[in-house]
Amino acid sequence: MISFGPNEEQEIVRDAMREFAEQALRTVGRECDESASVPDDLLQQVWELGLTATQIPEEYGGGGEDRSPITNILVLEELAYGDASLAAAAVTPSLFANAVLDYGTEEQKAQYLPLFTGEKFHAASLAMVEPGALFDVLNLRTKAEPKGDGFVLSGQKSFVPLGDRAQHFLVLAHNTAQDGFEGIEAFIVPRDTKGLTISEPEKNLGLKGLPTVGLTLDRVEVAAAERLGGEAGIDARRLVAASRTAIGAVLVGMSRAVLEYAIPYAKDREAFGEAIAKKQAIAFMLSDMRIEVDSMRWLVWKAASELEHGLDATRSAHLARVYCAREGMRIADNGVQVLGGHGFIREHPVEMWYRNARTLGVLEGSVTC
Amino acid sequence: MIDFVLTENDQKILDSVRAEALVCRKYARYYDEHEDEFAPDELEEAKDFPPTMSLFGNRKDDDTSVAIMSMLLSAGQCWGDYTVRMRRGSGGLGNAALRAAGTPEQVEKWGDTTLAMAITEPGCGSDPSQVQTTAVLDEATDEWVINGEKIFVTTGCRCDGVVVWATLDRAAGRAGIKSFVIEKGIPGFEVTHKEKKLGIRADDTAAMVFTDCRIPRSNLLGGKEEIPKASSGGFRGVMKTFNMTRPAVAAIGLGIAEAALDFTREHLKEAGFEVEYGGSLQSQPAVVQKFHELEGLYEAAMLTVMNAAWLSGEGKPNNVEASIAKAKGGSSVRQITQGCIEILGPMAVSREHLLEKWFRDVRITDIYEGTGQVQNLIIARNILEYDRTELK
Ligand SMILES: Cc1cc2nc3c(=O)[nH]c(=O)nc-3n(C[C@H](O)[C@H](O)[C@H](O)COP(=O)(O)OP(=O)(O)OC[C@H]3O[C@@H](n4cnc5c(N)ncnc54)[C@H](O)[C@@H]3O)c2cc1C
């Protein structure tokens, strides 16, 4: 059935997240961008919202609520409306936890899920992106070669969120025995593993409030038990689709932030004797943003709905991500234009959103739903 | 519940509409080239297909709302052809106005006839408050006397009557505008011209003149003769008609655009380019990247249409969302059909295929029922909380 109505619970969660995003994230987003860091107490504050724990089954100490990609993208849009970097930081542990929940063996679930249901923030991350031009998840350069019962991992990763503090990494690598999505495997690699080198925090264009690192895997040996999903492996198609859908949701939230910032500014700012908003050139940039925020959001919802039904969301997620990347960039671009010279100055957030939009548009694996 | 997956029941109905549409498509070229002929009221093949509405017999609670289904049905039919239908339904744009603004007696009287809608005049289109056609009450005979000229009236030739916008008092501006039902055959009502067009050629688009045309007093739609003071509430009432017709117009264009996408996908495949979605965008050939872009536009626009319809079905206000659907649909179908031709190259402009026709047919989507700019104006006023004097 096609329906655009969130259920009551989702509406409550959404309202709560909106309020949190405005009060706790928007207010510190600029500071985190300038210092290229995220404070531990902020992560702890976010942790207490239970984003990761709520959908973990009770037997592992979680909230036992249904695993719902739709609820998660509603949450992400709101958090990203506050601040995209901090939204990504907030759900980084879920990159690891949700994958274990969705694809892990019983032993893996029992071992790792309880880490995410405690009172203290637990940092864990996903290492998908790789350095070098034209990153493509279907052509991973990090290789997993079978050795005995286990594997040997070699390669490099970049843009690993919260890698400065993550205790565990879920490393995606190409198992050379197969191609395409079937050849993608995920391995649990603890921070202190031999052969793993973690770089200093990377210096990025945008999403600066989300510290990221590079990983070098120099013949890292992993046991069979650390291969996520065991013999069955993971459903990489689904994992990638969830990531693309989630990036779309972050771009929706960010784009809405631009629109809602630009409207009062344009009504207030005068040129040639009247508010600039009264000129169609400006007014139509704003109406166009309004149209595109809706368009983006529905594409993301559609992909999330397919994920929720357990369907193959590859097409919808890809179209949503590509669309949101393009339109999110255009919205942020016009956001700067509406503010004119003031849009170029770091006193206003639009220049930060402009950098964030470009960054988000090319990222995969930094968020999930 | 947020949900975007069609039920089995939904799919069955849509499949059956597609099957009909494919039959209609066989006649598409003929009526494009013979624009002075009308497509038949019922195709010969109609005996093999149950009427669409009969498929709505046993809907379940978890099936998609009729409001949304009606959009998908329009799109599905136009995926076959814009004008040729298995059975030409009665009803035109004027009927939507009748349903929205007519009294129960009026709906009873004209509900089963086909009514066109005549707002546009030689001197005014986007700004209907400038309507110059006049209606003067003759108290002696209890008749309205209509004088004026209307252009671009869809189904103006084939309809049984027309809903005409006319002013009781030009000085009163928008508040003075009322709509009147004028039936064919009344003295003083003359259809003067049929337009020759870029696309949707089998659709008749007519000009008409009213010269001292006398109609019964009871033909004023809604029956309210007084001119409201200062408020534009009455005008807003007549504009309400658009809250379902605007998304519907977008759905129609999108149905055609989807036909163009399907055609392009098929021919890309023939040329050795399979459209896939797994890898990154950058890893795809340029033509596939372009195709993804066009598909995204189609999906996004169709979703805005469904959202506007969903709101309407839920009884919620959807004025802005209807304009969003119309604006997004109108701009997307242009880009999609232009883009499909760009992807396929020279073969695409041959009249051997329908793609060039679809490119011509969809162009109207961003013009009638309020141009893209007019929709943007409505959206901008809403988000900026400006009235029509502050942003025009
Ligand atoms: C095939 C066809 C069928 C039609 N069917 C019907 C019908 O059944 N009934 C009916 O009444 N009409 C019908 N129309 C008329 C149609 O609704 C009008 O053509 C349309 O509303 C635009 O009006 P216009 O042509 O006078 O353009 P104009 O109003 O002259 O507009 C010209 C350009 O100026 C732009 N513009 C105008 N005002 C503004 C503004 N304030 N801000 C920014 N830009 C602006 C417009 O967007 C457009 O790009 C039909 C037209 C066609 C071609």
Side-chain angles (χ1 to χ4, degrees):
Chain A
M1 166 178 56
I2 292 175
S3 163
F4 289 73
N7 64 32
E8 218 174 295
E9 236 168 89
Q10 287 167 335
E11 273 177 11
I12 293 169
V13 173
R14 189 161 70 163
D15 290 347
M17 290 302 153
R18 183 170 303 177
E19 204 183 313
F20 178 81
E22 276 170 0
Q23 291 170 5
L25 302 186
R26 180 69 64 84
T27 44
V28 299
R30 166 60 77 186
E31 233 171 275
C32 295
D33 178 77
E34 291 286 333
S35 63
S37 67
V38 54
D40 284 324
D41 54 353
L42 182 65
L43 290 175
Q44 182 59 33
Q45 200 185 344
V46 173
W47 189 254
E48 283 158 19
L49 299 172
L51 301 180
T52 305
T54 316
Q55 292 173 15
I56 291 178
E58 282 168 8
E59 51 181 310
Y60 307 114
E65 279 177 25
D66 289 342
R67 175 91 175 78
S68 171
I70 292 181
T71 303
N72 293 345
I73 50 119
L74 294 175
V75 167
L76 259 179
E77 175 184 333
E78 297 310 322
L79 295 179
Y81 168 73
D83 186 81
S85 303
L86 301 177
V91 301
T92 295
S94 299
L95 283 169
F96 188 100
N98 285 355
V100 172
L101 186 54
D102 291 346
Y103 317 114
T105 61
E106 279 316 312
E107 294 74 30
Q108 288 165 340
K109 287 185 194 176
Q111 184 176 352
Y112 293 103
L113 291 180
L115 297 175
F116 298 91
T117 58
E119 279 172 14
K120 281 264 165 294
F121 179 81
H122 182 78
S125 186
L126 175 75
M128 181 194 283
V129 177
E130 298 177 345
L134 304 181
F135 167 73
D136 180 9
V137 71
L138 280 188
N139 284 296
L140 293 177
R141 294 165 195 153
T142 299
K143 302 294 176 201
E145 295 165 60
K147 182 182 172 196
D149 278 351
F151 287 85
V152 178
L153 307 180
S154 323
Q156 281 188 309
K157 293 286 174 182
S158 62
F159 230 104
V160 181
L162 295 190
D164 57 338
R165 62 197 88 184
Q167 296 306 306
H168 298 91
F169 298 98
L170 195 60
V171 175
L172 293 195
H174 180 206
N175 177 352
T176 43
Q178 269 179 306
D179 276 333
F181 281 115
E182 285 66 36
I184 300 174
E185 302 260 11
F187 298 93
I188 298 166
V189 180
R191 187 177 187 85
D192 54 10
T193 302
K194 192 164 155 258
L196 174 68
T197 317
I198 300 168
S199 78
E200 285 297 300
E202 294 165 332
K203 293 184 170 143
N204 300 316
L205 163 73
L207 288 192
K208 287 169 62 190
L210 172 70
T212 68
V213 301
L215 304 182
T216 304
L217 299 124
D218 183 12
R219 299 199 60 78
V220 170
E221 301 204 2
V222 287
E226 307 302 354
R227 175 190 189 186
L228 191 61
E231 282 292 311
I234 60 169
D235 182 349
R237 212 171 247 291
R238 186 175 170 83
L239 181 130
V240 169
S243 162
R244 289 176 177 166
T245 305
I247 290 202
V250 173
L251 281 156
V252 177
M254 184 217 73
S255 299
R256 208 180 86 216
V258 175
L259 172 62
E260 291 186 16
Y261 193 84
I263 288 172
Y265 186 91
K267 289 184 72 171
D268 189 51
R269 178 76 181 171
E270 293 193 352
F272 299 93
E274 63 178 358
I276 56 169
K278 290 190 178 163
K279 306 194 179 295
Q280 279 194 1
I282 297 294
F284 283 11
M285 273 196 240
L286 299 172
S287 57
D288 183 59
M289 289 182 195
R290 173 73 179 76
I291 292 168
E292 293 307 338
V293 169
D294 265 23
S295 300
M296 290 161 69
R297 181 186 296 116
W298 310 145
L299 286 170
V300 169
W301 284 19
K302 184 177 180 191
S305 168
E306 290 173 5
L307 287 170
E308 188 125 339
H309 277 272
L311 298 170
D312 179 0
T314 306
R315 175 175 180 271
S316 293
H318 173 79
L319 293 181
R321 188 191 78 81
V322 170
Y323 192 94
C324 291
R326 191 176 60 242
E327 290 307 318
M329 186 68 251
R330 215 162 57 83
I331 287 171
D333 189 26
N334 284 336
V336 172
Q337 200 65 17
V338 168
L339 270 75
H342 297 269
F344 199 74
I345 307 297
R346 301 224 294 275
E347 215 170 288
H348 291 282
V350 287
E351 69 78 32
M352 177 173 79
W353 292 331
Y354 182 69
R355 289 183 284 111
N356 286 349
R358 187 59 287 170
T359 306
L360 281 163
V362 294
L363 272 193
E364 294 189 274
S366 56
V367 277
T368 190
C369 64
Chain B
M1 184 176 88
I2 294 172
D3 193 4
F4 290 87
V5 178
L6 293 164
T7 64
E8 235 171 86
N9 263 339
D10 296 339
Q11 198 57 58
K12 235 187 269 166
I13 294 177
L14 296 177
D15 287 348
S16 128
V17 168
R18 294 284 161 137
E20 264 188 30
L22 271 185
V23 176
C24 299
R25 195 183 281 182
K26 291 195 299 196
Y27 298 89
R29 178 60 75 186
Y30 180 87
Y31 290 102
D32 180 58
E33 290 182 346
H34 297 79
E35 62 180 331
D36 43 348
E37 292 179 31
F38 292 129
D41 284 345
E42 190 170 293
L43 296 185
E44 216 182 289
E45 292 86 341
K47 57 185 182 323
D48 305 328
F49 292 90
T52 310
M53 285 325 286
S54 71
L55 302 171
F56 278 86
N58 38 14
R59 302 288 288 164
K60 297 207 201 76
D61 280 352
D62 64 349
D63 288 332
T64 298
S65 71
V66 174
I68 293 180
M69 287 302 285
S70 72
M71 296 297 157
L72 300 180
L73 287 179
S74 297
Q77 283 172 338
C78 294
W79 176 81
D81 188 63
Y82 179 86
T83 319
V84 183
R85 296 295 159 89
M86 191 57 71
R87 300 174 185 80
R88 197 173 76 98
S90 66
L93 281 171
N95 295 77
L98 177 69
R99 282 192 298 275
T103 63
E105 297 77 44
Q106 290 171 332
V107 173
E108 167 78 27
K109 182 163 181 200
W110 293 301
D112 291 333
T113 63
T114 296
L115 298 176
M117 183 88 191
I119 304 169
T120 307
E121 300 181 355
C124 91
S126 295
D127 183 6
S129 71
Q130 295 306 308
V131 159
Q132 299 295 304
T133 298
T134 55
V136 177
L137 185 64
D138 183 346
E139 304 258 6
T141 59
D142 256 358
E143 286 173 324
W144 295 102
V145 184
I146 312 284
N147 276 290
E149 188 180 350
K150 294 287 176 183
I151 59 167
F152 297 166
V153 182
T154 298
T155 55
C157 297
R158 290 184 99 173
C159 65
D160 306 307
V162 189
V163 174
V164 174
W165 282 24
T167 173
L168 302 189
D169 177 5
R170 280 186 199 151
R174 298 150 65 92
I177 296 172
K178 302 281 179 186
S179 32
F180 300 86
V181 179
I182 308 185
E183 291 170 86
K184 283 273 180 75
I186 291 186
F189 174 5
E190 194 193 348
V191 175
T192 50
H193 178 69
K194 191 175 161 213
E195 305 289 352
K196 293 187 168 26
K197 307 189 294 290
L198 167 70
I200 59 166
R201 290 186 178 167
D203 224 35
D204 84 75
T205 307
M208 45 190 64
V209 173
F210 303 96
T211 318
D212 291 330
C213 177
R214 291 176 164 269
I215 54 168
R217 188 167 185 166
S218 57
N219 282 23
L220 189 157
L221 210 56
K224 295 203 183 72
E225 295 179 0
E226 64 286 359
I227 297 175
K229 279 215 185 70
S231 125
S232 66
F235 197 73
R236 219 173 281 146
V238 285
M239 295 303 283
K240 237 194 194 143
T241 321
F242 293 128
N243 290 2
M244 273 304 262
T245 57
R246 281 182 171 154
V249 163
I252 285 168
L254 285 162
I256 303 172
E258 196 192 4
L261 285 171
D262 290 347
F263 178 85
T264 305
R265 186 200 312 272
E266 208 177 288
H267 286 270
L268 268 175
K269 190 172 173 179
E270 233 178 65
F273 294 99
E274 188 90 45
V275 178
E276 280 167 1
Y277 309 92
S280 70
L281 187 69
Q282 305 88 289
S283 67
Q284 311 278 353
V287 284
V288 174
Q289 288 190 21
K290 179 79 190 174
F291 191 79
H292 285 158
E293 182 188 329
L294 303 180
E295 276 190 289
L297 285 171
Y298 168 81
E299 292 285 339
M302 201 63 209
L303 287 162
T304 64
V305 168
M306 291 194 256
N307 181 48
W310 178 77
L311 286 168
S312 162
E314 295 281 300
K316 295 180 181 165
N318 73 340
N319 163 42
V320 179
E321 288 78 7
S323 284
I324 288 177
K326 176 65 172 61
K328 185 65 192 164
S331 65
S332 297
V333 298
R334 290 162 62 183
Q335 293 175 65
I336 290 167
T337 51
Q338 292 163 13
C340 285
I341 293 181
E342 183 184 319
I343 287 173
L344 294 180
M347 65 98 52
V349 295
S350 162
R351 277 163 56 200
E352 208 177 295
H353 306 292
L354 287 170
L355 180 52
E356 65 80 28
K357 175 180 181 291
W358 294 327
F359 162 80
R360 290 183 285 112
D361 284 350
V362 294
R363 189 60 184 83
I364 191 61
T365 315
D366 213 17
I367 298 172
Y368 61 9
E369 295 282 298
T371 63
Q373 287 73 28
V374 167
Q375 309 305 331
N376 269 276
L377 208 51
I378 293 168
I379 299 161
R381 281 179 192 150
N382 174 274
I383 60 178
L384 290 162
E385 299 171 305
Y386 280 159
D387 64 26
R388 75 200 130 76
T389 61
E390 291 169 294
L391 185 66
K392 46 187 174 206

